[in-house]
Amino acid sequence: MALSKEIMGCSLIEQSFFNSSSKVLLSYRFNYKQSQFWVNPVLKKNSVQLRKIRRGPVAAISEDLVRAVPEKAVKFKVRGVVTLRKKHKEDLKETILKHLDALTDKIGRNVVLELVSTEIDPKTKAPKKSNQAVLKDWSEKSNLKTERVNYIAEFTVDSNFGIPGAITVSNKHQKEFFMESITIEGFACGPVHFPCNSWVQSTKDHPGKRIFFSNQPYLPSETPAGLRALREKELKDLRGDGKGVRKLSDRVYDFDVYNDLGNPDRGIEFTRPSLGGEKIPYPRRCRTGRIPTDTDLLSESRVEKPLPMYVPRDEQFEESKQNSFSAGRLKGLLHNLLPSLMANISANNHDFKGFSDIDSLYSEGLLLKLGLQDELLKKLPLPKVVDKITKTTQGDLLKYNTPKILSKDRFAWIRDDEFGRQAIAGVNPVNIERLTVFPPVSKLDPEIYGPQESALKEEHVVGHLNGMTVQQALDENKLYIVDYHDIYLPFLDRINALDGRKTYATRTVFFLTSLGTLKPIAIELSLPRSGPTSRSKRVVSPPADATTSWTWQLAKAHVCSNDAGVHQLINHWLRTHASIEPFILAAHRQLSAMHPIFKLLDPHMRYTLEINVLARQNLINADGVIEACFTPGRYCMEMSAAAYKNFWRFDLEGLPADLIRRGMAVRDPTRPHGLKLLVEDYPYAADGLLIWSAIENWVRTYVGRYYPDSAQICNDRELQDWYDESIRVGHADLRHEDWWPTLATPDDLTSILTTLIWLASAQHAALNFGQYPYGGYVPNRPPLMRRFIPEEGDPEYANFLSDPQKYFLLSLPSLLQATKFMAVVDTLSTHSPDEEYIGERQHPSIWSGDSEVVEAFYGFSAEIGRIEKEIERRNSDPRLRNRSGAGVLPYELLSPSSDPGVTCRGVPNSVSI
């Protein structure tokens, strides 16, 4: 505790003030919980015992001292150290403005700061303020090449000023700047820290003053009188008025529906339905206010790459993140940047003719594979872009890194045990369920979609149950299923009518072996009923000969294609990216930066709005990467919306509740975490519960610090408004559902916050950072399929028999589709150099002015470190066959830390990619 306070500058820091009649040394520190100060007047020769003053925050000079000096307040100087972060690279306009600001700063167009006290001036009835101070030596430091530059500002305050609680900043320059932090030195309490981390715009663009609060947390009811008006004003500014087109420099957070995914002005094939509203429920996204399209007044006009879309200024990527993201994205956009290359691929209709063709993407690269040389690039008017791509790929243009799935066993993907292992330890380990009824039953309307009964029969599986009957296997929790029937079937007619798309609605049944591994024992392939006598369901069993081996391999590929779509559109995009955006928007609109809950959530909201904007622009939009690369094609987002309406429930998004919902765990108070896993070696769940519990304990400690009882929760206006707006506006289409958790007790708040932090950190990491390691080898997880599995009597059956490998490869994505997909998931799987991982924070010692909370956070960080070591131990345990063994990949997706790049590990604080 003492170390934490020393780091924060809140230990007993002694400051001397003198007058002509006496010499007194005063020191004190603030104790949040008792709202009191310890005051220690020390005479020159005799010490005095520590005593309590129960008057709340005191002035910079105590009453004892004031009585010892003349009644007229004296003025004294305090110093501010202002840290600005500089850009590494500037364009011509920024360079010109920088030099202009250096000149005009000398003639009075400065950066002006003013301290605001926590106290009210009894005479003016307004907050006490310092004089205005300017940043010194701006001109002299304008050309420094360092990443951070410290500036000094000197303030003059009265001796009865009190404690500074806020600073206002006016940027009278032409150019914005990034203000990282301000530290005020010279007050008796020691340094006062102001974490800023914000862009400050020029007053010519935004005339008002920016407001920054100190790191001292305050519940709304405890806001010092001097800060109340500023607290309200800052929130009002962040909410905006809901009108007009947002400028890129704005800091306004508001809600809107997903009405900008299509572009009807380009033609009917680019029209997409609006998501959000009674017709198609969906979470809300950040409002931009762009004008409507010419063709459809309810659709918002699009901003196409490379032009930026609006996101509040402080949500935009920082420079190192932007550089990392842009460099990786160049591969993914190469087909758009180089029309000649795309035309060449399309004209020759390149398909994979053998597995060696796929392998060559990692050894030769795409250009050599196509017989194209670098001279092609030199003929194109894109020298800077090409140079940048070449540098980022070390000269191997479009040469892909070997995915991790191939690193230990190049043929692991073919094996059934690996197919089963990836259901619980791969990139999508959240759809596996315990089978409770056999055969499984659909919940779809039989009038529309046909009989609810499955085609699976006991004879399909009984030979694979180690002598058990089906009922015995069910009773002993030995049967599991990945069931995509109800998700895909309503869309199959439309999907299969698309060019180059052929898919089924699949069900896969697994048997839990005595080794704790999952063995696939049956795959059901369903198509819509096209007539009263048509065969719409088919069951494929494990192979018995060469022909059925290839049929089985094709069936597994179709399952993986289903899995890839559900993973990307529902589990990844909807359940992490889209569903938490409303909570982030409401947090900025309703929770002051001073609010302790905002301080807790802050690192878990970083970059999410920006990455979601980029997804709307490039990934989930009409004809975007997701539509181009995944089976559902133009119906991708409608499928995501159907899952939101029919399956998504916030109260079941926490890990324990989700495991129980899927039947993968049962409550057991004698077990760690209060749960018993029915598949004990379930790496995602086992590691996830460690992180879930660490988050929950940290959040419970934090919540208990500020909310000792339910009354505090219910009376916190900002907190209740945040949660209410997140549901009532952000999830408006589901706002009337009775499953929304209430927010009335500290336990309620702990549960809600733990779920949000889990989704933003560990859940997203488990679903995201294995995309290239597992999906970068397309045969392992094809994102789409282009052929049905032929049966006897089908026209293609003879071709299948004569060359099954060729038929298999023709069923996979084409070369263009595969490389486009690979490039995108490579970027999405990449950690940027400025990533912040769980257990880390910017300014870890001063992010909060509450020393006990900072100390508790260090305890949380230490627990995360212990979890990492435990995961390493588990990965070397030979008894755990789903994460250890010959050719088996260790499960590291929930290992907290990571280096930059594609590592298949690391848990960032937020949905940042």
Side-chain angles (χ1 to χ4, degrees), residues 440-460:
V441 178
S442 170
K443 295 178 181 177
L444 296 175
D445 184 348
E447 294 293 321
I448 301 174
Y449 300 106
Q452 294 177 317
E453 293 76 21
S454 166
L456 286 160
K457 304 297 180 188
E458 189 159 338
E459 57 263 28
H460 292 127

Side-chain angles (χ1 to χ4, degrees), residues 293-304:
T293 61
D294 296 332
T295 311
D296 180 2
L297 295 180
L298 296 180
S299 294
E300 192 172 83
S301 58
R302 286 188 54 77
V303 175
E304 302 294 355

Side-chain angles (χ1 to χ4, degrees), residues 426-627:
V427 71
N428 188 39
V430 298
N431 280 103
I432 186 83
E433 302 174 74
R434 181 165 55 92
L435 191 58
T436 56
V437 176
F438 189 90
V441 178
S442 170
K443 295 178 181 177
L444 296 175
D445 184 348
E447 294 293 321
I448 301 174
Y449 300 106
Q452 294 177 317
E453 293 76 21
S454 166
L456 286 160
K457 304 297 180 188
E458 189 159 338
E459 57 263 28
H460 292 127
V461 301
V462 72
H464 305 283
L465 303 181
N466 287 2
M468 292 183 180
T469 65
V470 170
Q471 192 57 50
Q472 284 177 316
L474 289 172
D475 293 343
E476 295 187 25
N477 301 321
K478 293 290 188 180
L479 290 179
Y480 294 83
I481 188 170
V482 173
D483 189 347
Y484 294 133
H485 180 277
D486 289 4
I487 297 173
Y488 272 90
L489 196 68
F491 292 91
L492 284 190
D493 278 334
R494 286 175 285 171
I495 292 172
N496 288 330
L498 297 173
D499 186 37
R501 297 288 203 283
K502 292 292 179 284
T503 194
Y504 304 92
T506 67
R507 289 187 177 112
T508 308
V509 180
F510 297 89
F511 177 73
L512 180 63
T513 71
S514 58
L515 296 176
T517 58
L518 290 177
K519 178 174 71 172
I521 58 175
I523 294 172
E524 181 186 40
L525 306 170
S526 297
L527 291 170
R529 184 179 55 176
S530 57
T533 60
S534 68
R535 282 186 62 192
S536 59
K537 297 180 180 179
R538 172 184 180 185
V539 176
V540 180
S541 299
D545 57 24
T547 301
T548 54
S549 289
W550 280 104
T551 303
W552 179 247
Q553 204 64 41
L554 279 165
K556 288 195 296 180
H558 274 281
V559 171
C560 290
S561 171
N562 268 198
D563 189 75
V566 170
H567 162 260
Q568 195 67 267
L569 303 169
I570 299 171
N571 298 331
H572 179 210
W573 168 257
L574 170 65
R575 294 175 64 187
T576 61
H577 286 259
S579 67
I580 66 174
E581 182 164 348
F583 291 94
I584 294 173
L585 291 170
H588 285 281
R589 290 167 52 84
Q590 303 297 342
L591 296 175
S592 167
M594 287 190 280
H595 199 292
I597 299 305
F598 185 90
K599 290 182 180 293
L600 174 71
L601 289 175
D602 188 35
H604 305 290
M605 304 188 289
R606 186 180 188 228
Y607 291 154
T608 303
L609 298 185
E610 169 80 340
I611 199 64
N612 285 2
V613 156
L614 291 168
R616 296 206 318 273
Q617 187 177 40
N618 301 320
L619 297 180
I620 63 173
N621 58 302
D623 202 35
V625 173
I626 300 299
E627 287 192 2

Side-chain angles (χ1 to χ4, degrees), residues 874-900:
R874 291 176 176 181
N875 283 329
S876 60
D877 186 342
R879 295 170 300 174
L880 303 178
R881 307 295 180 96
N882 293 314
R883 61 197 307 161
S884 177
V888 176
L889 294 182
Y891 187 74
E892 296 180 306
L893 284 167
L894 289 174
S895 259
S897 70
S898 175
D899 292 328

Side-chain angles (χ1 to χ4, degrees), residues 726-748:
S726 298
I727 298 169
R728 182 177 48 81
V729 182
H731 287 277
D733 308 320
L734 301 182
R735 67 188 182 279
H736 298 304
E737 299 293 338
D738 59 7
W739 43 253
W740 283 104
T742 57
L743 178 52
T745 69
D747 284 345
D748 293 341

Side-chain angles (χ1 to χ4, degrees), residues 570-838:
I570 299 171
N571 298 331
H572 179 210
W573 168 257
L574 170 65
R575 294 175 64 187
T576 61
H577 286 259
S579 67
I580 66 174
E581 182 164 348
F583 291 94
I584 294 173
L585 291 170
H588 285 281
R589 290 167 52 84
Q590 303 297 342
L591 296 175
S592 167
M594 287 190 280
H595 199 292
I597 299 305
F598 185 90
K599 290 182 180 293
L600 174 71
L601 289 175
D602 188 35
H604 305 290
M605 304 188 289
R606 186 180 188 228
Y607 291 154
T608 303
L609 298 185
E610 169 80 340
I611 199 64
N612 285 2
V613 156
L614 291 168
R616 296 206 318 273
Q617 187 177 40
N618 301 320
L619 297 180
I620 63 173
N621 58 302
D623 202 35
V625 173
I626 300 299
E627 287 192 2
C629 295
F630 287 86
T631 291
R634 63 175 294 150
Y635 305 108
C636 278
M637 292 305 292
E638 289 183 63
M639 182 181 286
S640 180
Y644 177 69
K645 178 183 178 182
N646 299 318
F647 304 110
W648 186 84
R649 286 180 51 164
F650 181 77
D651 63 322
L652 300 180
E653 285 299 281
L655 179 59
D658 179 54
L659 292 172
I660 291 168
R661 166 175 60 176
R662 292 188 284 118
M664 300 302 292
V666 293
R667 295 199 182 278
D668 184 346
T670 67
R671 297 292 187 104
H673 322 295
L675 291 179
K676 176 187 176 184
L677 292 177
L678 298 184
V679 178
E680 291 188 16
D681 183 16
Y682 183 1
Y684 158 77
D687 294 358
L689 285 170
L690 294 176
I691 295 179
W692 171 272
S693 294
I695 295 170
E696 186 177 45
N697 291 335
W698 155 237
V699 171
R700 182 178 291 111
T701 299
Y702 191 94
V703 167
R705 175 75 170 146
Y706 301 101
Y707 299 99
D709 54 47
S710 298
Q712 295 276 68
I713 298 281
C714 296
N715 294 329
D716 187 332
R717 175 179 45 79
E718 287 184 8
L719 182 71
Q720 293 294 335
D721 287 349
W722 161 68
Y723 189 56
D724 173 70
E725 188 174 66
S726 298
I727 298 169
R728 182 177 48 81
V729 182
H731 287 277
D733 308 320
L734 301 182
R735 67 188 182 279
H736 298 304
E737 299 293 338
D738 59 7
W739 43 253
W740 283 104
T742 57
L743 178 52
T745 69
D747 284 345
D748 293 341
L749 181 57
T750 297
S751 176
I752 291 165
L753 294 173
T754 301
T755 298
L756 287 172
I757 293 171
W758 162 260
L759 291 173
S761 58
Q763 180 79 329
H764 178 259
L767 294 168
N768 183 72
F769 292 103
Q771 290 193 78
Y772 187 79
Y774 282 100
Y777 186 67
V778 169
N780 180 58
R781 277 181 69 78
L784 62 85
M785 295 291 283
R786 296 185 292 157
R787 300 280 191 281
F788 286 129
I789 303 174
E791 297 184 75
E792 286 191 57
D794 290 344
E796 292 186 312
Y797 191 69
N799 294 332
F800 165 67
L801 288 180
S802 64
D803 195 339
Q805 175 178 296
K806 180 180 179 182
Y807 192 91
F808 181 85
L809 292 170
L810 287 173
S811 299
L812 298 181
S814 68
L815 177 62
L816 172 61
Q817 291 168 327
T819 53
K820 191 172 187 177
F821 168 75
M822 289 163 63
V824 170
V825 294
D826 181 42
T827 300
L828 296 180
S829 304
T830 300
H831 290 292
S832 66
D834 72 337
E835 200 85 88
E836 291 176 11
Y837 298 95
I838 192 165

